[in-house]
Amino acid sequence: MLAAGKIEDFTLVLPCYLPNEEEILDDVFEHYLKELKKLTTYEADVFGAESLCRKQILVVWNKPEKWTPKASFEDDMRAWIVKFKENQIHLVVHEVLGSTSKCDNLNEACENLFDPEKEGNIHTTMCCLNDADTMLDWSCIVRGSIHITNGYHIAQAMNSHCANDANGTPDGEVPGTKTCHPYGLLITIGDATKPQNMSTQSTFNHSPFNGRGGFWNTDAVRKVGFDHRTVGEDHCAGYRGCAYFGMKGILDMNMLCQEQEPPNCSALTKQRIRWETAALQMRRTFSWIIRSPHYNRFEAFILLWGQLQQNCNMPF
């Protein structure tokens, strides 16, 4: 915290699809209330109570056309808004009408809610784009602030996993449903291993965004935006920022975000199909890298070699 000097004003962005995340929002808010209160306490100790950063949480959500949230949903959100306000945290819950994807929700945040020229809008120097089921520690915000202050546009946290994943029982938190997932341990090892493209790119300050646990300079993410034509809008945005605009990205191994595997084989298979589809779609970034003035030939060779030799058997 001393190295940070002062923590940048911060917004945590949680794109949600209801009803998927409706049941866990209370737990998510409870977690971040605890972590942000810790951050406030340490800030006051180090910098003084008058030098606290602005802390905000932005939930951008959408739902199917023929589904309505529980009757208590709006009351619950209002209660959380009051609870956060009591602890100097600003919570905004915004429905994105007409949205069909997480990408649309993020673009709503970038285009309309982060616009500093619109009166009353949310606009902080730093934002973290995160999934609702991925938990961040307060210290990540400190390290993210250091990177953003030092000129990075993207600071990516490293994924870690919970004990249930490591034990091969990803549904272990649901009472009465603790079953053995035969590949749970192996999948967890693979997911928690440093991605080759991100680790090699970090050497050149071009590590891309990984979809969750990613800290952005807010003006940079507004400039890049997200492409709804791909299911890999996260990596796409990171590579576009680096290749087109010369943005800088770093993978910080001391910033940890904890996620959890899908609870059963069917859900896991659907997730991995999306991921592999995204990996194929990211082949279009090869031409960006080759043509970009911000990548030298050696870096482009390393990146393309790493991408072609893993993830997919159909590189072209």
Side-chain angles (χ1 to χ4, degrees):
M1 187 162 290
L2 287 171
K6 181 187 181 301
I7 309 301
E8 299 283 2
D9 291 344
F10 166 74
T11 302
L12 175 68
V13 184
L14 301 175
C16 296
Y17 179 71
L18 304 187
N20 290 9
E21 282 95 357
E22 187 178 24
E23 295 297 327
I24 66 170
L25 273 178
D26 283 342
D27 292 334
V28 172
F29 288 157
E30 198 70 55
H31 170 80
Y32 285 115
L33 179 61
K34 180 181 72 174
E35 295 301 316
L36 293 174
K37 283 170 68 177
K38 284 183 184 178
L39 178 60
T40 298
T41 300
Y42 297 135
E43 274 187 294
D45 287 345
V46 175
F47 305 127
E50 68 283 352
S51 300
L52 303 178
C53 73
R54 185 179 183 187
K55 303 171 185 68
Q56 302 182 139
I57 299 176
L58 169 60
V59 179
V60 275
W61 62 278
N62 67 309
K63 62 180 178 62
E65 287 184 9
K66 298 181 179 179
W67 180 86
T68 55
K70 292 179 180 178
S72 62
F73 178 74
E74 290 188 2
D75 291 337
D76 289 345
M77 294 302 103
R78 278 193 288 267
W80 275 110
I81 288 172
V82 172
K83 188 179 292 188
F84 276 113
K85 190 174 182 179
E86 291 171 351
N87 290 277
Q88 300 174 283
I89 304 164
H90 186 50
L91 171 65
V92 176
V93 182
H94 180 78
E95 180 181 5
V96 184
L97 299 175
S99 170
T100 59
S101 65
K102 170 183 174 181
C103 181
D104 290 342
N105 296 348
L106 290 173
N107 278 330
E108 171 71 9
C110 292
E111 294 168 11
N112 296 314
L113 301 175
F114 277 150
D115 188 346
E117 296 182 2
K118 293 183 179 179
E119 188 176 348
N121 265 15
I122 296 171
H123 192 270
T124 54
T125 307
M126 177 175 70
C127 63
C128 176
L129 309 185
N130 202 37
D131 289 343
D133 58 355
T134 304
M135 299 303 179
L136 282 170
D137 183 81
W138 68 271
S139 62
C140 289
I141 300 170
V142 178
R143 295 188 68 86
S145 178
I146 293 173
H147 294 309
I148 298 301
T149 300
N150 288 339
Y152 284 99
H153 301 89
I154 307 168
Q156 178 61 51
M158 184 65 199
N159 296 337
S160 62
H161 287 264
C162 60
N164 284 326
D165 285 356
N167 293 334
T169 56
D171 59 351
E173 293 183 2
V174 182
T177 62
K178 190 169 183 177
T179 56
C180 177
H181 192 307
Y183 296 108
L185 176 59
L186 295 177
I187 291 165
T188 301
I189 292 172
D191 286 354
T193 301
K194 185 164 59 171
Q196 187 178 33
N197 65 320
M198 297 189 70
S199 58
T200 54
Q201 286 306 99
S202 196
T203 306
F204 301 96
N205 292 329
H206 284 153
S207 189
F209 173 45
N210 198 29
R212 62 262 189 223
F215 289 79
W216 283 78
N217 175 289
T218 304
D219 291 334
V221 75
R222 286 186 68 241
K223 186 174 185 178
V224 171
F226 295 89
D227 191 343
H228 68 274
R229 297 169 295 179
T230 173
V231 293
E233 75 282 341
D234 46 3
H235 280 266
C236 178
Y239 282 121
R240 189 166 58 253
C242 293
Y244 278 65
F245 302 110
M247 293 180 181
K248 293 170 60 179
I250 186 172
L251 175 67
D252 186 339
M253 297 298 291
N254 290 307
M255 289 166 55
L256 295 176
C257 60
Q258 180 176 277
E259 58 179 313
Q260 191 163 3
E261 307 286 1
N264 54 62
C265 197
S266 173
L268 179 74
T269 301
K270 292 176 182 176
Q271 181 193 65
R272 300 310 151 121
I273 288 173
R274 290 197 306 273
W275 286 12
E276 292 304 320
T277 302
L280 282 171
Q281 291 175 336
M282 286 302 97
R283 297 318 188 224
R284 68 177 181 164
T285 64
F286 290 176
S287 66
W288 304 353
I289 305 304
I290 293 170
R291 292 180 292 140
S292 174
H294 307 293
Y295 287 76
N296 61 44
R297 291 183 180 180
F298 179 60
E299 180 185 0
F301 169 76
I302 290 176
L303 175 60
L304 268 61
W305 181 279
Q307 291 287 72
L308 288 172
Q309 63 89 24
Q310 66 177 10
N311 291 338
C312 287
N313 295 320
M314 299 170 58
F316 302 108

